[in-house]
Amino acid sequence: MSIITVWAPARPNIGEYPEITEAAKAFNLQQRAVKVDVHFSSVWRYDEMVRNAAMGNRLPCVISLDGPLLSSYVWSGYLQALDPFVPKALLNDLLPSIIKQGTYNGRLYSLAQTDSGLGLWGNRRLLRAAGVRVATLEAPWSLAEFEQALQRLTALEDVDYAINFSIYYVRSEFSAYAFSPILQGFGGDLIDRSDFQSAKGVLDGPASVEAMKRFQQWFRKGWSKPVVDRADDFERGRVALSWTGHWRYKPYRKALGDDLVLMPLPDFGHGIKTGMGNWSWAISSTCKEPAAAWAFIAHLMSREEIRRMADASASVPARRSVPARTLLYGPNGPLRMFALQHAAGLGVPRPATPAYVTISPVFAKAVSAIVNGGDVQVELSKAAEIIDADIARNLGYRP
């Protein structure tokens, strides 16, 4: 019997711990060739733990990793490709976003059971009171309609401000995930994706600067506020809109009931752009039994395991054949829009470059400064300079 060690970032009764634990138990019971031994760690120190283990040649066979870190892990030599193991039938059933996230330099290195969903949550009662229509994927709000909605909603007597951008997350990975779609919606981006060699002229180019100037204006006009001392303004009816992800569905539904409505992000001129990416599974480069490691990942990617994870976490099922089997993503499911936008290829992956480990924190710092009134051009140019210096220092992160 092969014994395969698995690392995952979770703790008992928090996050995805119960689902991963049950999946491992089921896998161990249904066959005798491979036994998996799952070890959990706090998500906040998980990346550091993986990198330290890699330096000491102590990586387990299977690791869970945050999607945007894939490029860095592959470039550093931590992972081996999954291409020899993944059957064509599974590949054809995966959402485009799952394949995009798991691919680096043309090879597939990781698979996620679910993807994330980013959208615009609304309070139907307040939208109706302000005379604001519910946006759809077929008819999203334009920039003008979005700003008109913010103005009308802020004017309601019992609304403090129109939209919550979850600024309490702003110095984290959330900024690159949730706010880079604003850049992309205006025609900008975090980096030049043609070769991932420079952020100069893109992150601080005219389109990105215009995007973040509008973002800053939404705060200056009082349509949003940089609230950091509480996270329940939407649930309490203080705001009418919330720009955030699938993980807020359950508390939002509990607070608003049938008044909760899910809408796509606006089309700022270059089509709907939305965030994507989630934790995924990979095989380490030092694993001596990759076929056994793949057997467990294949189990996790089964329709039943994906359905169970999606129902528990409210995240988007990774396989096209699964949503119809779920309560949240089925034909009349309240979160179906998240699955439809990924199936349509509207998700934009965070840059597939090892430099992303620098891009994310420096962009987050720039967003924080912009929200607090900083000069948009100056802040984005500083961020671009830091990113380009990191790329130059690492000789372009060439393979």
Side-chain angles (χ1 to χ4, degrees):
M1 174 184 286
S2 299
I3 298 178
I4 299 298
T5 302
V6 179
W7 281 3
R11 289 170 289 171
N13 303 316
I14 296 177
E16 299 170 347
Y17 176 93
E19 285 68 47
I20 298 171
T21 300
E22 287 303 313
K25 185 183 298 184
F27 177 76
N28 287 337
L29 287 174
Q30 72 185 24
Q31 49 76 49
R32 296 183 178 180
V34 181
K35 179 182 179 181
V36 296
D37 182 18
V38 184
H39 295 258
F40 295 97
S41 172
S42 168
V43 66
W44 304 114
R45 301 296 297 274
Y46 183 77
D47 177 56
E48 179 183 344
M49 182 180 79
V50 169
R51 293 181 186 278
N52 286 341
M55 291 175 63
N57 200 32
R58 293 179 287 103
L59 281 176
C61 260
V62 177
I63 61 173
S64 178
L65 61 104
D66 198 2
L69 296 181
L70 175 74
S71 304
S72 177
Y73 280 20
V74 175
W75 182 77
S76 298
Y78 300 168
L79 307 179
Q80 57 182 289
L82 300 181
D83 303 272
F85 304 108
V86 185
K88 188 175 181 180
L90 174 57
L91 275 178
N92 291 340
D93 197 29
L94 293 172
L95 290 175
S97 59
I98 298 297
I99 297 174
K100 283 182 184 177
Q101 174 186 261
T103 300
Y104 181 63
N105 279 347
R107 303 199 70 185
L108 185 68
Y109 286 91
S110 76
L111 289 176
Q113 289 179 283
T114 60
D115 206 338
S116 58
L118 175 67
L120 202 56
W121 300 94
N123 184 320
R124 195 187 305 272
R125 176 182 61 82
L126 296 175
L127 292 175
R128 189 180 297 120
V132 174
R133 75 173 178 91
V134 174
T136 64
L137 280 174
E138 296 73 25
W141 290 340
S142 64
L143 173 60
E145 191 174 7
F146 175 61
E147 293 188 334
Q148 183 181 61
L150 297 186
Q151 185 174 25
R152 287 182 178 180
L153 291 165
T154 302
L156 292 177
E157 186 176 348
D158 53 350
V159 169
D160 287 354
Y161 55 103
I163 184 169
N164 176 14
F165 281 106
S166 302
I167 296 303
Y168 34 82
Y169 292 144
V170 76
R171 295 301 290 269
S172 72
E173 174 65 21
F174 184 78
S175 282
Y177 171 75
F179 303 141
S180 63
I182 300 177
L183 302 182
Q184 293 143 4
F186 276 79
D189 209 340
L190 293 166
I191 192 171
D192 181 348
R193 295 186 187 234
S194 66
D195 58 6
F196 297 103
Q197 292 300 296
S198 179
K200 200 71 179 167
V202 177
L203 177 54
D204 63 345
S208 295
V209 170
E210 174 60 20
M212 296 313 289
K213 281 185 175 179
R214 296 302 273 265
F215 181 70
Q216 187 179 65
Q217 285 176 19
W218 301 335
F219 289 88
R220 285 181 171 171
K221 290 177 180 292
W223 298 342
S224 189
K225 292 183 179 179
V227 175
V228 295
D229 61 343
R230 59 184 186 272
D232 61 353
D233 281 359
F234 183 70
E235 294 97 310
R236 295 177 63 181
R238 290 182 171 186
V239 297
L241 302 170
S242 179
W243 182 296
T244 192
H246 70 270
W247 56 88
R248 298 300 296 165
Y249 168 69
K250 292 183 179 181
Y252 283 0
R253 175 70 181 182
K254 183 178 180 181
L256 272 67
D258 291 340
D259 276 335
L260 181 65
V261 59
L262 175 61
M263 300 177 287
L265 300 184
D267 178 352
F268 291 130
H270 290 259
I272 297 173
K273 308 296 181 182
T274 190
M276 54 161 277
N278 209 348
W279 288 82
S280 59
W281 298 99
I283 300 175
S284 70
S285 57
T286 53
C287 179
K288 292 184 171 62
E289 298 185 82
W294 167 251
F296 180 57
I297 295 177
H299 171 72
L300 293 174
M301 296 303 297
S302 68
R303 292 184 180 90
E304 178 55 26
E305 287 299 332
I306 288 176
R307 182 203 61 76
R308 198 165 56 80
M309 181 64 79
D311 281 343
S313 63
S315 49
V316 185
R319 296 179 64 164
R320 298 174 188 270
S321 58
V322 174
R325 304 165 184 243
T326 70
L327 295 174
L328 298 178
Y329 288 93
N332 298 310
L335 305 185
R336 183 170 171 76
M337 190 277 292
F338 284 146
L340 291 175
Q341 64 183 11
H342 282 321
L346 302 180
V348 180
R350 278 156 282 178
T353 167
Y356 184 76
V357 296
T358 297
I359 293 171
S360 178
V362 300
F363 179 65
K365 185 177 181 180
V367 171
S368 179
I370 288 166
V371 167
N372 288 292
D375 183 281
V376 173
Q377 182 72 69
V378 169
E379 296 300 333
L380 293 181
S381 289
K382 283 196 298 186
E385 289 172 5
I386 293 171
I387 293 166
D388 282 12
D390 173 74
I391 294 170
R393 190 164 51 250
N394 287 282
L395 305 178
Y397 287 107
R398 301 297 186 185

